[in-house]
Amino acid sequence: MASSVNLALVTRQSVLDAIREFDELGQAEFLRRRRFAEARNFRVVYQGRFYDSKAIAGVAHGYATGRFVDSSEFSGGLATVAECLRNLGFVVDNGEKGARGGLLWELETTKVFTAGGRGAAYKFVVLRWAVDGPESQHAPVPLSKVRPELAELLSPYAVADSAPNPADPWVALRRSGWWRIDAPPGVDLASPSHQQVRALVRRDDLAAGLSDAARVQLQDEEWRQEAIAVLARRIDELAPGVAVTRA
C-alpha cells in the first residue's frame, strides 16, 4: 500500500461517514468528485445497498485521517481493501476472478418476469422465504410440500390477472447461483425451456432449494442479514407498500 494510504487508520465510523456521503451525492457524483471508478466486482453491502468498495475505503481514509486519496494512490489489491472493510464488520460481496460480483450482487442484477409494465417480485419472495426460514428450510424440498404456503406468500405480489403460480419462480430460479433443483439422473435442466422444466417439476415433484454456495454463506449471520435486507429492498422496489409476510 502506498505511504499515503494506511488502511489500518480507517475506522468503522469513517466508513459510515463515506457511506453517508455516497448516499447524499449518489453513486455517479460521489465517484466523480472523489476520482474513483465504478466497482467491477468488490462492493460493500450495508443495510441492503451496494457501495463501491475501493472508493468507500479511500474516502473513509480521508474521514479518518484528513487525507483524502483517489484511486491512483492505491498500490494494494482489492483483496486488501476487502479485508480491511470486513475486519471492521462490513459485508463485502465479490465473486470469482473476472466476475461482476458475488451472490448478493446477483440479487441486484436478477431479471424478473414483467406483465403490464410491472416487474414481478416472485423470485425474491421465494428466496426470502427460503433464507428467512429455519435451517431445515434451506435444504431442497418437494414443491408439493410447500406449494400452499408459497401460493399464499406470492398472492399479494401478483402482476397479472391470475394468481402467481409457485412453480414459475421455483423453476426460473434454476439459473441462479442461489438455487438448485434436484434433477432425475441423466436429466440436464439447463437446456430445456421453462415450460418443459415446469412440467417435469410438476410430474416428478422435484425438490428444490438453496444452493450449497448460498447455504454456506448464510452461516455467516452478518452476511445473512444483508441478504435479507437486499431481498426486502428488491421486493419493496417491485411491489411498494406490500408487507412481507410469512404464511
Side-chain angles (χ1 to χ4, degrees), residues 143 147 184 187 196-206:
L143 176 59
R147 179 188 286 273
V187 175
Q196 289 172 322
V197 177
R198 186 175 64 179
L200 185 62
V201 166
R202 296 186 64 179
R203 187 192 74 191
D204 295 347
D205 198 20
L206 299 183

Side-chain angles (χ1 to χ4, degrees), residues 18-19 22-23 39 42-46 49-53 56:
I19 287 173
F22 185 111
D23 287 339
F42 288 74
R43 297 171 182 86
V44 182
V45 190
Y46 181 67
R49 298 189 179 277
F50 295 86
Y51 302 86
D52 308 88
S53 60
I56 289 295

Side-chain angles (χ1 to χ4, degrees), residues 171-220:
V171 170
L173 281 167
R174 77 188 190 278
R175 303 188 189 281
S176 164
W178 281 84
W179 202 246
R180 58 177 278 192
I181 299 178
D182 289 347
V187 175
D188 178 14
L189 297 181
S191 300
S193 69
H194 178 88
Q195 290 75 17
Q196 289 172 322
V197 177
R198 186 175 64 179
L200 185 62
V201 166
R202 296 186 64 179
R203 187 192 74 191
D204 295 347
D205 198 20
L206 299 183
L210 294 173
S211 68
D212 291 343
R215 292 169 69 183
V216 168
Q217 289 280 33
L218 288 167
Q219 294 175 13
D220 181 329

Side-chain angles (χ1 to χ4, degrees), residues 18-154:
I19 287 173
R20 173 186 49 77
E21 180 182 324
F22 185 111
D23 287 339
E24 290 174 352
L25 296 176
Q27 182 190 35
E29 179 61 17
F30 178 83
L31 295 178
R32 185 197 67 78
R33 187 175 298 189
R34 294 302 188 180
R35 299 175 63 188
F36 280 91
E38 182 178 351
R40 293 187 58 81
N41 190 334
F42 288 74
R43 297 171 182 86
V44 182
V45 190
Y46 181 67
Q47 296 184 346
R49 298 189 179 277
F50 295 86
Y51 302 86
D52 308 88
S53 60
K54 198 170 187 179
I56 289 295
V59 175
H61 180 276
Y63 279 113
T65 68
R67 166 73 171 164
F68 287 89
V69 296
D70 61 33
S71 183
S72 67
E73 296 180 75
F74 280 83
S75 60
L78 281 168
T80 304
V81 172
E83 182 181 11
C84 165
L85 294 168
R86 286 177 177 136
N87 287 341
L88 293 171
F90 294 95
V91 170
V92 178
D93 176 81
N94 65 280
E96 299 297 327
K97 184 177 180 180
R100 289 290 299 176
L103 283 173
L104 295 178
W105 184 246
E106 184 177 330
L107 298 177
E108 192 74 1
T109 56
T110 293
K111 294 182 179 179
V112 299
F113 168 75
T114 60
R118 295 174 57 200
Y122 306 156
K123 289 181 180 178
F124 303 120
V125 172
V126 170
L127 286 177
R128 174 72 188 266
W129 163 84
V131 168
D132 206 18
E135 182 69 24
S136 61
Q137 195 163 287
H138 295 176
V141 60
L143 176 59
S144 64
K145 185 176 180 179
V146 296
R147 179 188 286 273
E149 180 180 3
L150 291 178
E152 185 174 344
L153 286 172
L154 290 167

